Amino acid sequence: MYILSVGSWFALRLGVDLMCLFLSAADPVLLSELVCSGVFSAVSMFLNTLTPKFYVALTGTSSLISGLILIFEWWYFRKYGTSFIEQVSVSHLRPLLGGVDNSAPNSPSSSNGDADSSRQSVSECKVWRNPLNLFRGAEYNRYTWVTGREPLTYYDMNLSAQDHQTFFTCDSDHLRPADAIMQKAWRERNPQARITAAHEALDLEDCATAYILLAEEEATTIVEAEKLFKQALKIGESCYRRSQQLQHHGAQYEAQHRRDTNVLVYIKRRLAMCSRKLGRTREAVKMMRDLMKEFPLLSMFNIHENLLESLLELQNYADVQAVLAKYDDISLPKSATICYTAALLKARAVSDKFSPEAASRRGLSTAEMNAVEAIHRAVEFNPHVPKYLLEMKSLILPPEHILKRGDSEAIAYTFFHLQHWKRVEGALNLLHCTWEGTFRMIPYPLEKGHLFYPYPVCTETADRELLPMFHEVSVYPKKELPFFILFTAGLCSFTAMLALLTHQFPELMGVFAKAFLSTLFAPLNFIMEKVESILPSSLWHQLTRI
């Protein structure tokens, strides 16, 4: 770099002058010998003989190296989410320089705190089954046929396989041939092999889980799936009544009854979802209510979220409020469906007459304040949802599993509830005007929450496993570019500009550089003159004698 090189030359000359001043005060004989050797004159001659081409080459090489570092840093940041230079500095250079790792626990209490935080992180990043998950054969496979893309990831389908083995199998399956075949079928990775195994089980005897598998994966329409589930329901109810009478006869019968209960609840819930998809919403609501009364302790299926969506479709907002009053409790785990449905009901009371201009003039009324607070509460729980509701980000088919407070949950919620927000006049406008105000109340960098626990840092990794590759995962909080990427980009641009200007206008750049550096070093020259005038001339000589 021409300017930097000229600056180095001036700095060297200044150093030489200071050295001359020091040696003249310390030892005149040594100074005379050094001057006679011609070292200073040789250095000055070398710097004066450098041509502008040298400076162009120097700045060009610097710009090239900075550009290569910038490309590598950007690639590393996009892949790993951190700066390579910062990571190396913290991991390797800091210990060498004697730095202390503040994250290392120094006492039993700190180690206990770390253990508690890690347990909290694991619980927050627990993956839940999507209560509104679609049918593979009738919905997911149709998407694949049309687009050629796979909407489900291997990780998501593997979690479903584990769920099926937990819900639909037990240790005594080997006693019945059909159940033994289905136990192996749920472990198969190949969909066609699973379907073939289900048909083999039905050839031996009627089997509820075999009908479930065919309804989920082989049926190409919801009508076909409903027929298969109705066949499964007859068998499932018979098995449930039989095992209910024998459940207290031993651990084996208790396990069979637990399995038959899971099978029956699953079949009834999917039949209710078939009714909802086929437009028989009131029938679906009745089936869900009956199911929740018959099995009140099976909250793992989250049937109340299916009920909320169906009641919103019927615009039965009073019943929606009654369900929320029961499940929006501090002791129960929250979800985007609970929080955003509560916000929708509060917004519905004021959204049709809401105007941002009028609100800024007169202030918010009590009802409007309650609606805004409900929106802020929902956005703090899951900050990814508003962009999907406001159609600022494209939707995809929801996965079979979701991560609460993550992008996967936001997709699953919006996929089914966007129509309900559009149906309430002004609700999306109120959301658009107020949702970003949530982030002013949340401490940054998220060391603590406002109404909920701090936002977990593991959501991005889990969502990338749950969502397909063609979807751009929403990340919160948005990662800022590391300092070294910005610094390298600025250095690369600056040196490239200097190389171009020096090549085009060598004389003008030389004059500019000299003027700039003379101005830069003027305060230093002024200080040196003051020091020389204040200190006695023999001070250095006296100090060397001491």
Side-chain angles (χ1 to χ4, degrees):
M1 292 179 292
Y2 184 71
I3 291 180
L4 297 181
S5 300
V6 174
S8 302
W9 181 79
F10 273 103
L12 180 60
R13 290 299 301 269
L14 180 62
V16 170
D17 293 340
L18 291 174
M19 187 181 296
C20 291
L21 178 63
F22 171 74
L23 291 176
S24 63
D27 196 345
V29 177
L30 180 60
L31 175 60
S32 62
E33 291 177 356
L34 257 164
V35 172
C36 292
S37 64
V39 174
F40 298 132
S41 60
V43 173
S44 299
M45 185 180 299
F46 171 75
L47 293 175
N48 289 328
T49 55
L50 294 178
T51 63
K53 292 182 179 180
F54 169 79
Y55 298 116
V56 173
L58 184 64
T59 51
T61 305
S62 176
S63 177
L64 175 63
I65 295 174
S66 302
L68 294 175
I69 296 175
L70 173 63
I71 294 172
F72 176 77
E73 275 280 292
W74 178 255
W75 169 82
Y76 195 89
F77 173 73
R78 290 298 299 269
K79 186 172 183 180
Y80 299 105
T82 185
S83 167
F84 174 77
I85 299 177
E86 290 180 0
Q87 186 178 16
V88 171
S89 301
V90 173
S91 303
H92 299 87
L93 298 182
R94 188 177 179 185
L96 293 177
L97 297 176
V100 179
D101 189 3
N102 295 328
S103 62
N106 297 322
S107 63
S109 60
S110 63
S111 63
N112 294 335
D114 292 341
D116 293 339
S117 62
S118 64
R119 283 195 295 269
Q120 177 183 339
S121 177
V122 170
S123 64
E124 285 177 341
C125 293
K126 176 184 176 183
V127 176
W128 300 71
R129 187 161 182 85
N130 182 5
L132 296 168
N133 64 308
L134 305 178
F135 294 84
R136 284 194 190 178
E139 293 172 307
Y140 287 121
N141 285 349
R142 290 169 63 186
Y143 177 83
T144 303
W145 298 337
V146 174
T147 64
R149 292 176 171 180
E150 289 290 342
L152 298 176
T153 64
Y154 173 77
Y155 176 70
D156 192 14
M157 291 188 289
N158 186 50
L159 290 176
S160 296
Q162 295 176 22
D163 292 340
H164 295 152
Q165 293 174 51
T166 302
F167 295 154
F168 304 146
T169 64
C170 65
D171 295 336
S172 62
D173 282 345
H174 64 279
L175 300 177
R176 294 191 292 185
D179 289 338
I181 293 176
M182 289 307 301
Q183 191 175 42
K184 296 179 181 179
W186 294 119
R187 298 173 182 167
E188 285 286 347
R189 294 185 180 180
N190 187 357
Q192 192 57 45
R194 291 194 296 269
I195 293 173
T196 303
H199 283 292
E200 292 177 1
L202 289 175
D203 291 339
L204 296 176
E205 59 179 324
D206 286 338
C207 179
T209 54
Y211 281 116
I212 290 176
L213 192 148
L214 295 179
E216 290 286 351
E217 302 194 21
E218 189 182 40
T220 56
T221 64
I222 301 298
V223 175
E224 293 178 17
E226 186 181 34
K227 291 179 180 178
L228 291 170
F229 274 121
K230 286 182 178 179
Q231 291 178 277
L233 179 62
K234 296 178 182 178
I235 305 168
E237 286 179 336
S238 175
C239 293
Y240 174 76
R241 285 192 295 268
R242 191 183 312 118
S243 63
Q244 189 178 26
Q245 297 173 357
L246 302 174
Q247 62 176 316
H248 301 297
H249 291 187
Q252 176 181 328
Y253 294 102
E254 185 179 354
Q256 287 183 4
H257 178 66
R258 190 184 311 113
R259 190 271 311 270
D260 292 338
T261 302
N262 291 335
V263 170
L264 184 61
V265 172
Y266 186 89
I267 293 171
K268 289 187 174 182
R269 173 174 164 270
R270 293 303 260 178
L271 277 173
M273 293 178 67
C274 288
S275 298
R276 168 68 183 89
K277 291 176 184 293
L278 294 174
R280 306 194 302 268
T281 310
R282 295 188 184 278
E283 179 184 339
V285 169
K286 183 180 183 305
M287 295 173 67
M288 293 173 192
R289 289 188 185 277
D290 292 343
L291 187 59
M292 293 170 67
K293 290 179 181 178
E294 187 177 0
F295 303 98
L297 300 179
L298 288 181
S299 59
M300 59 183 175
F301 289 103
N302 291 324
I303 304 172
H304 61 277
E305 297 197 8
N306 299 82
L307 178 61
L308 283 173
E309 196 278 328
S310 298
L311 290 174
L312 286 172
E313 177 64 22
L314 295 174
Q315 301 184 44
N316 194 340
Y317 297 110
D319 287 351
V320 172
Q321 185 62 56
V323 174
L324 286 177
K326 182 178 181 181
Y327 289 95
D328 193 5
D329 187 80
I330 191 171
S331 61
L332 298 176
K334 296 291 184 294
S335 67
T337 301
I338 294 292
C339 295
Y340 277 90
T341 302
L344 177 61
L345 294 188
K346 294 285 182 65
R348 176 177 170 269
V350 298
S351 59
D352 57 337
K353 300 178 182 179
F354 178 77
S355 171
E357 294 79 9
S360 61
R361 287 196 305 268
R362 58 174 171 77
L364 294 175
S365 64
T366 304
E368 290 173 339
M369 184 64 70
N370 292 335
V372 171
E373 289 177 354
I375 290 175
H376 287 176
R377 172 178 179 261
V379 174
E380 182 182 351
F381 181 82
N382 193 317
H384 308 282
V385 173
K387 287 189 176 182
Y388 292 107
L389 286 177
L390 298 173
E391 299 182 85
M392 301 166 62
K393 193 170 171 54
S394 59
L395 268 177
I396 61 172
L397 294 185
E400 293 184 337
H401 290 81
I402 59 174
L403 181 70
K404 290 192 175 182
R405 307 188 73 178
D407 190 31
S408 52
E409 185 192 34
I411 292 171
Y413 171 78
T414 311
F415 187 86
F416 295 99
H417 288 261
L418 177 59
Q419 56 182 331
H420 307 315
W421 279 81
K422 287 184 175 181
R423 190 177 291 123
V424 177
E425 183 183 356
L428 290 176
N429 177 49
L430 179 61
L431 177 68
H432 175 73
C433 295
T434 58
W435 74 278
E436 291 182 336
T438 309
F439 307 119
R440 291 193 291 268
M441 301 185 299
I442 302 175
Y444 189 82
L446 304 179
E447 64 273 1
K448 60 180 181 178
H450 179 62
L451 298 174
F452 299 99
Y453 287 112
Y455 190 80
V457 297
C458 59
T459 55
E460 180 184 359
T461 303
D463 279 332
R464 290 191 188 280
E465 295 287 338
L466 290 170
L467 299 172
M469 292 292 294
F470 58 82
H471 174 71
E472 183 181 355
V473 176
S474 177
V475 179
Y476 175 81
K478 196 69 176 177
K479 291 183 178 178
E480 298 180 355
L481 286 177
F483 165 76
F484 282 104
I485 289 184
L486 301 176
F487 175 76
T488 310
L491 181 62
C492 178
S493 305
F494 182 67
T495 52
M497 182 185 66
L498 284 183
L500 179 63
L501 292 176
T502 306
H503 177 70
Q504 293 292 331
F505 312 103
E507 299 297 333
L508 181 61
M509 289 298 294
V511 173
F512 174 77
K514 291 178 181 178
F516 174 76
L517 291 174
S518 62
T519 305
L520 185 64
F521 285 103
L524 183 59
N525 293 332
F526 176 77
I527 293 173
M528 292 302 299
E529 291 176 0
K530 290 295 183 182
V531 170
E532 290 177 0
S533 63
I534 294 174
L535 295 177
S537 59
S538 59
L539 176 62
W540 294 114
H541 181 66
Q542 297 295 332
L543 290 175
T544 53
R545 293 186 63 180
I546 293 174

